[in-house]
């Protein structure tokens, strides 16, 4: 091996160890973390919206109507909302998991990149020592694999999220805006439920006619409501999982090609 190549690899090893020590200042990692934090924040907003609709639907099912008054022990016409309520609740559960995963990613991308940088630095140093001392082929293969694995953790993973942040918004902007407008139109009038009690301790809904009108509107537009929530959820999954994994898969294929031992 030529001395110039050894020097280059040694410099890369030192740079990797420095990147490990100062991973929290790595601009690539910080941009990837910001992308994950942005998705976590957006998913939290959607989760709150879903739980609000869920609470409204659950409360609407308890409305009891007798004649023109809301009284106890009569019919509950809005039990028809139960399937919609159950579906909204399931979607909110998935959104919650997406929110948790993105939150975890925003915290762990930095430490993971530090581990990757450490693997690259150590693998290069050991590999250089092996070349000087004439270590066996098996050791060389192990250090090569560790180095490339470290490159995936330290560079490819955050780079995949950075590239996703550059392309995901442009790819999903229109469908996001369209479905967000639909959700705002359907759920924008929903307010927290106000319940009062009369002298006998019976629950009496304030402004029952308006509340019933909103519940009826949700029944009429249930298909659009669920479809929009599912679409928005799909956008989240695409942005935080599918697109980064597709990009990372391409990096892994390249790494596997370069990591193969060269024929003598």
């Amino acid at each position: 091996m030529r001395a110039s190549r050894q020097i280059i690899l040694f410099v890369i090893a030192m740079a990797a160890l420095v990147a490990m020590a100062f991973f929290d200042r790595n601009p690539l990692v910080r941009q990837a973390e910001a992308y994950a934090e942005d998705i976590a924040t957006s998913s939290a907003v959607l989760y709150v919206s879903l739980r609000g609709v869920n609470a409204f639907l659950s409360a609407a099912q308890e409305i009891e109507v007798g004649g023109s008054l809301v009284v106890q022990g009569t019919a509950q016409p809005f039990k028809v909302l139960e399937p919609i309520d159950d579906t909204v609740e399931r979607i909110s559960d998935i959104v919650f998991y997406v929110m948790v995963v993105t939150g975890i990613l925003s915290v762990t991308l930095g430490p993971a990149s530090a581990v990757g940088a450490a693997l690259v630095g150590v693998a290069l140093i050991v590999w250089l020592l092996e070349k000087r001392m004439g270590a066996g082929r098996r050791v060389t293969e192990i250090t090569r694999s560790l180095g490339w694995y470290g490159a995936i953790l330290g560079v490819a993973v955050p780079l995949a999220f950075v590239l996703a942040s550059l392309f995901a918004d442009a790819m999903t902007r229109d469908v996001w805006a369209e479905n967000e407008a639909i959700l705002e139109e359907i759920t924008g009038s929903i307010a927290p439920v106000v319940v009062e009690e009369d002298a006998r301790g019976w629950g009496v809904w304030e402004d029952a006619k308006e509340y019933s009108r909103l519940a009826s509107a949700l029944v009429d537009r249930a298909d659009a409501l669920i479809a929009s929530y599912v679409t928005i959820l799909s956008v989240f999954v695409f942005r935080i999982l599918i697109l980064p994994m597709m990009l990372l898969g391409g990096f892994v294929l390249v790494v596997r090609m370069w990591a193969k031992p060269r024929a003598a």
Side-chain angles (χ1 to χ4, degrees):
M1 181 189 299
R2 292 179 300 178
S4 60
R5 186 180 179 189
Q6 291 181 354
I7 294 174
I8 292 173
L9 292 177
F10 180 77
V11 170
I12 294 175
M14 292 300 101
L17 294 178
V18 170
M20 174 202 68
F22 300 97
F23 71 89
D24 55 337
R25 302 181 187 179
N26 187 328
L28 184 68
V29 174
R30 293 178 70 175
Q31 188 172 346
E33 289 175 339
Y35 176 64
E37 289 173 3
D38 179 64
I39 295 178
T41 301
S42 299
S43 59
V45 172
L46 179 62
Y47 178 74
V48 171
S49 171
L50 281 161
R51 295 307 297 177
V53 173
N54 185 222
F56 178 89
L57 293 171
S58 297
Q61 295 176 61
E62 302 305 318
I63 292 180
E64 297 175 341
V65 179
S68 60
L69 298 176
V70 179
V71 297
Q72 204 170 34
T74 55
Q76 294 178 311
F78 293 110
K79 278 295 183 182
V80 69
L81 292 170
E82 185 172 1
I84 305 172
D85 187 23
D86 291 342
T87 303
V88 169
E89 185 173 6
R90 290 188 178 94
I91 294 173
S92 69
D93 289 340
I94 299 174
V95 171
F96 176 80
Y97 291 128
V98 171
M99 180 177 63
V100 171
V101 168
T102 52
I104 292 173
L105 282 173
S106 68
V107 173
T108 58
L109 280 171
S113 72
V115 172
L119 288 176
V120 171
V122 171
L124 284 174
I125 291 174
V126 172
W127 193 67
L128 288 170
L129 293 175
E130 288 172 353
K131 291 303 178 181
R132 285 185 173 274
M133 295 184 298
R137 179 179 178 183
R138 180 60 179 169
V139 176
T140 301
E141 291 178 355
I142 292 174
T143 55
R144 181 194 295 269
S145 298
L146 284 177
W148 284 115
Y149 179 67
I152 291 175
L153 280 179
V155 179
V157 171
L159 183 59
F161 283 94
V162 170
L163 292 177
S165 70
L166 297 176
F167 297 112
D169 183 61
M171 297 171 70
T172 59
R173 185 185 301 114
D174 292 342
V175 67
W176 177 279
E178 178 183 352
N179 287 276
E180 189 177 41
I182 293 173
L183 291 176
E184 177 62 27
E185 180 185 352
I186 297 175
T187 65
S189 300
I190 294 178
V193 180
V194 178
V195 180
E196 295 180 348
E197 289 188 354
D198 61 12
R200 296 167 293 178
W202 289 358
V204 179
W205 298 105
E206 185 182 60
D207 199 0
K209 289 183 178 180
E210 176 64 12
Y211 198 73
S212 299
R213 184 189 67 79
L214 294 173
S216 299
L218 284 180
V219 173
D220 294 338
R221 304 200 62 185
D223 291 344
L225 178 73
I226 299 302
S228 293
Y229 274 134
V230 170
T231 302
I232 293 292
L233 174 60
S234 300
V235 170
F236 278 126
V237 174
F238 175 78
R239 294 180 64 189
I240 198 61
L241 182 63
I242 295 177
L243 184 56
M245 290 303 103
M246 290 172 63
L247 294 169
L248 183 59
F251 295 143
V252 170
L253 289 176
V254 173
V255 166
R256 291 184 62 183
M257 180 184 69
W258 283 97
K260 290 180 179 178
R262 300 295 189 271

